[in-house]
Amino acid sequence: MFEIQDVNELEERFRTDSRRGLPKEEARSRLKEYGENVLKKEKGQTVWGMILEQLNEPMIFILFMAAAISMLLREYSDTIIIFVVIAMNTAVGVIQEGKARKAMEALKKLAAPVALVKRDNEYQEIPASQVVPGDLVKIEAGRQVPADVRITSVRGLAINESALTGESMPVEKTDQPMSAEAPMADRKNMAYMTTEAMKGQGEGIVVATGMETELGKIAGLINETTGELTPLQKRLGDLGKILSVVAVALCVGLFLIGVVQHRNILQMLLLAISLAVAAIPEGLPAVVTIVLALGVARMVKVNTIIRKLPAVETLGAVGVVCSDKTGTLTENKMKVVTVYCNGEIMPAEKLNPQLHDRFLEGYLLCNDSQLGEQEIGDPTELALLHMGKERGVKKEVLEKQKPRIGEQPFDSQKKYMVTVHREGKYNTAYVKGAGDYILEQCTGILVRGKILPMTQVQRMKIRQAMESMARDALRVLALAMKERAGEVTDEGLMKGLVFIGLTGMMDPPREAVRNSVSILHRAGVKVAMITGDHKDTAYAIANKIGIADAREQCISGDELERMTDERLEEVIPKLRVFARVTPEHKVRIVRGFKKNGQIVAMTGDGVNDAPSLQAADIGIAMGKSGTDVAKNAADMILTDDNFSTIEKAMEEGRSIYVNIKKSILFLLSSNFGEIITMFAAVLLALPTPLKASHILWVNLITDSLPALALGVDKNNRKTLMNHPPRDPGESLFAHGGWFLTVFYGMVIAGITLYTFHKGGQTYAFTVLGVSQLFHAIGMRDTERSIFRMNHLENPFMIFAFFAGLGLQFMVTEIPYFVQAFQTVKLDMGTWLWLLAVSAIPLLFHELRLLFIKKEK
């Protein structure tokens, strides 16, 4: 809206003077009216709030139920164990997520600390928080813009807006009115809060402060975006509800059976409670949390920091990766890739300091930037300096040989700059700028060290070279010279130029990106590129790295703006490139993919990426180039800023989900065996085969170690990324999970009841615990024989087996535990027999595989 108004209209609207600035009294009055130029602080979550959030899980409610039951049974040691498990689970979750919700704080840190304003016709430096609408602000190279400013005068001003708009190049600013329909990245008469002036200077009227700025709108988007449960959290939540219903139903059913059988009511109540305990896998929340935490530790090895624990598993279900272009897919550094010199177009690598001396010399001398420990200047000019440095030609050396004696700075309207250098007895001028304009001023051309007249054929070849570079979305700069240059004026310098050559530069893709995109495609994961660049530039990069192969797969922010959410949802599966987009567009894109049933990962590094990073199922920020805002809004951070790391992290995520599923199926099949054991005993009018304390011991102590061992198991990495991501709505029991749970549950129940019949509760308790240790070995791979597994790949499973065996041995042989669990001591012969019976689940594992092979 402000971009369409001229200076007079702005002065009238903001009751200000574009030459003198605001009166100081008026500025103080407006500060009271509009408030300080700061972003509203998001209400932080207390530690107690984070603890309650961790406890608000169905499986945790079940643990509390188990604790209450054990207290009713006066099994106080079991109660303590359960509360320890709850405390561990909560602590790990709070620690992992304790640094979340800091995006707003990071946004506040971005704000410029001071501003140079003109009040009562005097410049003064004030805290940026004191800037008000209507203030006249001076912007110059090296300063941050303190608020949103409509520029009223400009002298070669260029501003870096990459963190806000995604535009990789500094934007040359103007003071002329513009179209109201121009997207934010194209509003060249506006300067935005927190962007940085790279060169030149200008003045402008402040049109928005605080939350009314474009940065403030992004802050608002961050606040509006709410987190969603991950697929695993949803499945575990569903499982918790199912188990709660099952536990209550079993209690009621068993109690009614006891009444029908005229059993003792108190005895039946205790039996019902024991059965409820059997239905609840008390160790599951702790196992899942610890497996995820161990996954976080492994992720560090592939240059990935996980900020939110559930993100580890969600990675394995990602179906779409929406990637920011600048700095993620590309190096975020301009590089000369193609040149036109001596009448031919060629790769920049073929430049030769002897054959192309004037070419290199001109681009390095007609240059205001500097290399060194800290690179200073325009990215385009820095790319030219690197071009020379890579061929052993340095600007500092050339300037000593041919010192600059005059110049005409770059002008955004003229589109060129001139420097004049002393060369022996004469002066030489170099002119660098827009190709079309410079070519029109040239009457000669330099070919292999000789100046020849410019012919129509040569002019046509140069234009063809420019068009070729433009098709590849390269930024083209022309170079010309004038020997024996006269006065430093347009009249004296811009006539009779000699054309030297062209450079075509771009922000090149990272080397490994194309291969990573190919791997993700093979894994059924779509890759979409989201950028603030123009459509042609975006498509050229996307095509080069294999993201898009047709222009129909590209859409611009303007087209997106005119599209309804329903239409976007319809066409988005075919789109791969989103160009010239705003932060609001990015959020719409992420939501569009999510409405198509996809789990979406979004990468980014700028302030403008923060809302979409939060909106995505997985927000991925860059560790090196990323702003604090992006990092705090993300679920994970890539420490090497490399897109290829995402592919490795996804592989790890898929492996972690497979392992969590193994652990869950192992625990549930073991619990199902306990349920059948208890229920069958009642139906058969047998005494109670297991006490509630026995079941709690097995569930919390004996089972937990092998479940954790399954959680860190090694999977076949070759196959993990050779199939599509799982359906986010897929049940934990998909692909035969229910059959495995029931099948092995019945096997465990059968051998437990058999040994109970043979020797009583101690036999049943021992076999129940030890059989589950053997069962865990088979659960490492339900499709492969235990004789074909490499058991040394998982030393923790070997440790878990023998540790579990030792714990079970302890409760029958150490007097204190014998008394606590009301067991009896067993001799060596009995132990060997019980071990043989307990190994029966492995026998059924092998028999099932033989049956499957015969079926095939």
Side-chain angles (χ1 to χ4, degrees):
M1 178 169 59
F2 305 111
E3 60 273 10
I4 67 172
Q5 297 177 325
D6 61 27
V7 176
N8 291 333
E9 289 174 311
L10 285 166
E11 287 182 323
E12 185 178 339
R13 175 165 184 167
F14 287 96
R15 306 190 312 281
T16 188
D17 188 322
S18 63
R19 292 169 297 279
R20 296 179 57 84
L22 285 173
K24 292 177 183 177
E25 281 300 319
E26 177 64 18
R28 279 194 285 269
S29 173
R30 291 190 186 188
L31 186 61
K32 291 179 182 177
E33 180 184 351
Y34 293 101
E36 289 195 337
N37 178 34
V38 295
L39 301 180
K40 287 180 183 176
K41 186 175 181 180
E42 184 185 26
K43 189 177 179 181
Q45 192 179 28
T46 63
V47 173
W48 178 243
M50 288 191 282
I51 290 171
L52 288 178
E53 189 176 304
Q54 294 297 321
L55 295 176
N56 188 25
E57 296 283 344
M59 294 303 295
I60 299 296
F61 293 152
I62 292 171
L63 279 181
F64 278 120
M65 186 195 303
I69 291 168
S70 62
M71 285 185 75
L72 284 173
L73 295 171
R74 297 186 179 180
E75 300 286 350
Y76 300 119
S77 58
D78 295 325
T79 306
I80 293 168
I81 290 170
I82 294 171
F83 279 123
V84 167
V85 169
I86 293 172
M88 284 175 57
N89 183 71
T90 305
V92 171
V94 169
I95 290 167
Q96 286 294 329
E97 298 191 23
K99 293 185 179 179
R101 310 173 193 274
K102 289 187 179 177
M104 288 298 299
E105 283 301 311
L107 276 170
K108 290 184 73 179
K109 289 177 186 176
L110 280 178
V114 293
L116 190 59
V117 300
K118 200 174 193 180
R119 290 177 178 172
D120 285 334
N121 206 29
E122 288 181 3
Y123 281 112
Q124 56 181 289
E125 204 165 54
I126 63 170
S129 61
Q130 306 300 301
V131 170
V132 296
D135 257 329
L136 185 64
V137 172
K138 187 172 185 178
I139 305 167
E140 53 193 3
R143 280 190 179 271
Q144 265 192 10
V145 180
D148 284 5
V149 176
R150 164 65 163 87
I151 295 167
T152 55
S153 66
V154 65
R155 291 175 293 285
L157 180 64
I159 296 179
N160 179 6
E161 298 179 349
S162 60
L164 190 64
T165 66
E167 172 63 67
S168 55
M169 294 297 299
V171 180
E172 302 289 343
K173 293 299 180 179
T174 178
D175 55 9
Q176 299 301 307
M178 301 191 69
S179 167
E181 296 175 0
M184 184 168 67
D186 287 335
R187 296 174 200 159
K188 296 188 177 180
N189 59 5
M190 292 290 297
Y192 299 107
M193 186 177 187
T194 74
T195 58
E196 186 178 359
M198 302 302 291
K199 63 180 182 180
Q201 57 182 236
E203 286 184 342
I205 295 172
V206 173
V207 295
T209 58
M211 294 300 288
E212 297 302 313
T213 62
E214 292 296 335
L215 188 72
K217 292 173 185 175
I218 290 174
L221 281 174
I222 292 172
N223 286 337
E224 288 171 14
T225 309
T226 54
E228 295 182 14
L229 294 177
T230 69
L232 180 63
Q233 286 174 318
K234 291 174 183 174
R235 300 291 80 77
L236 288 175
D238 294 342
L239 178 61
K241 291 169 187 172
I242 292 169
L243 291 175
S244 301
V245 171
V246 168
V248 172
L250 286 172
C251 285
V252 173
L254 193 62
F255 188 76
L256 292 175
I257 290 170
V259 171
V260 170
Q261 292 180 348
H262 304 291
R263 291 199 181 199
N264 181 283
I265 297 297
L266 181 60
Q267 181 189 14
M268 287 311 302
L269 182 60
L270 291 172
L271 270 173
I273 291 171
S274 298
L275 192 61
V277 171
I280 301 166
E282 287 83 4
L284 181 57
V287 167
V288 170
T289 302
I290 293 168
V291 169
L292 289 175
L294 291 171
V296 167
R298 286 202 302 277
M299 288 286 196
V300 174
K301 295 177 183 177
V302 291
N303 300 310
T304 306
I305 296 172
I306 300 293
R307 295 186 66 252
K308 298 178 183 177
L309 205 56
V312 182
E313 170 274 331
T314 310
L315 271 170
V318 166
V320 177
V321 176
C322 295
S323 178
D324 181 49
K325 178 186 79 72
T326 306
T328 307
L329 297 172
T330 64
E331 295 178 3
N332 197 19
K333 189 167 78 172
M334 295 299 284
K335 182 178 181 181
V336 178
V337 292
T338 307
V339 298
Y340 180 83
C341 187
N342 289 339
E344 61 177 335
I345 192 167
M346 60 184 179
E349 290 78 17
K350 290 191 176 181
L351 280 173
N352 185 304
Q354 282 73 44
L355 296 177
H356 310 105
D357 54 340
R358 280 287 191 186
F359 181 89
L360 290 167
E361 181 181 288
Y363 277 117
L364 268 60
L365 287 174
C366 189
N367 196 311
D368 287 332
S369 298
Q370 294 176 21
L371 295 182
E373 288 186 13
Q374 187 175 4
E375 296 183 353
I376 301 170
D378 181 86
T380 301
E381 292 193 332
L382 290 170
L384 297 171
L385 295 182
H386 279 290
M387 173 183 72
K389 184 180 177 182
E390 288 164 9
R391 282 143 197 90
V393 183
K394 294 182 179 179
K395 177 186 175 184
E396 300 79 30
V397 176
L398 290 173
E399 284 183 326
K400 287 178 182 177
Q401 297 169 351
K402 301 176 181 181
R404 186 186 296 192
I405 59 170
E407 63 184 89
Q408 276 195 5
F410 180 85
D411 187 293
S412 58
Q413 292 179 329
K414 294 177 181 176
K415 299 291 184 185
Y416 67 84
M417 72 174 286
V418 184
T419 57
V420 183
H421 301 267
R422 175 75 65 190
E423 191 168 352
K425 295 180 181 180
Y426 304 104
N427 300 335
T428 300
Y430 287 106
V431 184
K432 179 186 86 214
D436 286 328
Y437 180 80
I438 288 179
L439 184 58
E440 288 300 316
Q441 316 307 316
C442 292
T443 56
I445 182 171
L446 185 70
V447 180
R448 293 180 177 81
K450 294 181 180 179
I451 297 175
L452 306 174
M454 177 72 76
T455 64
Q456 285 300 113
V457 172
Q458 287 166 332
R459 213 176 280 276
M460 184 178 70
K461 284 180 68 177
I462 294 168
R463 291 196 183 281
Q464 286 175 342
M466 286 194 289
E467 288 169 6
S468 172
M469 291 181 187
R471 279 196 300 274
D472 288 336
L474 302 181
R475 184 182 178 91
V476 182
L477 271 181
L479 178 70
M481 72 174 188
K482 186 171 187 179
E483 292 183 322
R484 303 195 180 195
E487 294 181 40
V488 186
T489 63
D490 285 348
E491 291 286 329
L493 296 175
M494 295 305 293
K495 287 185 180 178
L497 294 178
V498 175
F499 184 85
I500 298 177
L502 303 168
T503 53
M505 59 189 78
M506 69 185 304
D507 179 10
R510 291 176 179 270
E511 286 185 15
V513 165
R514 185 177 182 87
N515 183 53
S516 295
V517 170
S518 174
I519 291 172
L520 290 176
H521 284 168
R522 193 167 67 242
V525 180
K526 300 172 185 174
V527 181
M529 187 172 85
I530 301 178
T531 177
D533 280 342
H534 289 284
K535 202 172 178 179
D536 289 342
T537 305
Y539 174 71
I541 293 287
N543 182 253
K544 196 178 287 285
I545 59 182
I547 288 178
D549 51 24
R551 290 186 181 274
E552 292 73 33
Q553 294 174 310
C554 306
I555 188 172
S556 69
D558 285 342
E559 294 170 295
L560 203 60
E561 195 71 47
R562 296 191 293 268
M563 197 177 283
T564 64
D565 287 343
E566 291 73 23
R567 177 61 180 160
L568 177 61
E569 188 179 336
E570 186 182 324
V571 302
I572 204 166
K574 300 173 185 175
L575 299 175
R576 293 293 176 273
V577 179
F578 301 85
R580 221 63 181 159
V581 293
T582 65
E584 291 88 349
H585 292 153
K586 292 184 180 186
V587 173
R588 279 189 71 197
I589 292 163
V590 168
R591 288 174 177 163
F593 278 119
K594 287 173 79 169
K595 285 178 181 175
N596 271 265
Q598 300 281 5
I599 297 295
V600 182
M602 170 76 192
T603 77
D605 58 0
V607 176
N608 62 325
D609 297 315
S612 51
L613 289 174
Q614 276 204 329
D617 296 288
I618 294 284
I620 305 172
M622 302 297 111
K624 289 181 180 177
S625 63
T627 60
D628 286 345
V629 185
K631 291 175 189 176
N632 285 317
D635 300 289
M636 57 183 271
I637 298 168
L638 305 183
T639 58
D640 59 355
D641 282 20
N642 197 335
F643 180 84
S644 303
T645 303
I646 297 172
E647 169 248 313
K648 296 172 189 171
M650 276 190 186
E651 184 182 287
E652 191 68 47
R654 289 188 177 192
S655 179
I656 286 167
Y657 179 78
V658 169
N659 287 342
I660 286 176
K661 186 172 178 178
K662 286 181 194 176
S663 298
I664 290 171
L665 291 180
F666 161 70
L667 290 171
L668 291 181
S669 56
S670 300
N671 279 61
F672 191 68
E674 295 163 12
I675 292 169
I676 297 173
T677 300
M678 298 296 289
F679 212 80
V682 173
L683 289 176
L684 296 171
L686 297 173
T688 308
L690 297 163
K691 294 180 182 296
S693 58
H694 295 167
I695 296 168
L696 281 167
W697 173 264
V698 171
N699 288 357
L700 285 170
I701 308 301
T702 315
D703 274 2
S704 295
L705 287 173
L708 283 172
L710 288 170
V712 297
D713 204 17
K714 287 188 178 179
N715 295 296
N716 188 341
R717 301 280 170 158
K718 292 179 181 177
T719 61
L720 282 172
M721 295 299 282
N722 283 340
H723 58 79
R726 70 180 189 277
D727 184 336
E730 178 183 292
S731 165
L732 287 164
F733 301 100
H735 312 298
W738 273 119
F739 172 78
L740 291 173
T741 301
V742 174
F743 178 74
Y744 287 112
M746 292 181 70
V747 171
I748 290 168
I751 59 177
T752 302
L753 285 168
Y754 168 70
T755 50
F756 173 64
H757 173 68
K758 286 289 186 181
Q761 276 191 343
T762 301
Y763 280 29
F765 180 24
T766 302
V767 167
L768 179 70
V770 177
S771 66
Q772 292 178 22
L773 298 175
F774 282 104
H775 173 42
I777 295 171
M779 285 299 293
R780 282 191 64 207
D781 191 337
T782 58
E783 303 299 321
R784 190 162 47 152
S785 165
I786 60 167
F787 301 108
R788 297 184 63 190
M789 295 180 193
N790 182 356
H791 296 286
L792 295 178
E793 271 184 349
N794 192 342
F796 191 42
M797 179 61 80
I798 298 170
F799 166 78
F801 180 85
F802 286 106
L805 202 58
L807 288 166
Q808 202 60 40
F809 183 82
M810 189 171 68
V811 297
T812 61
E813 306 306 319
I814 296 177
Y816 173 80
F817 289 99
V818 169
Q819 185 178 357
F821 288 95
Q822 298 177 21
T823 56
V824 296
K825 289 192 174 187
L826 304 173
D827 59 40
M828 184 59 68
T830 304
W831 260 107
L832 290 173
W833 178 70
L834 291 175
L835 281 172
V837 174
S838 297
I840 287 175
L842 286 182
L843 173 64
F844 276 87
H845 173 88
E846 297 299 320
L847 292 172
R848 187 181 66 82
L849 290 177
L850 287 174
F851 180 77
I852 290 171
K853 285 180 181 177
K854 285 181 182 179
E855 286 288 303
K856 290 180 180 178

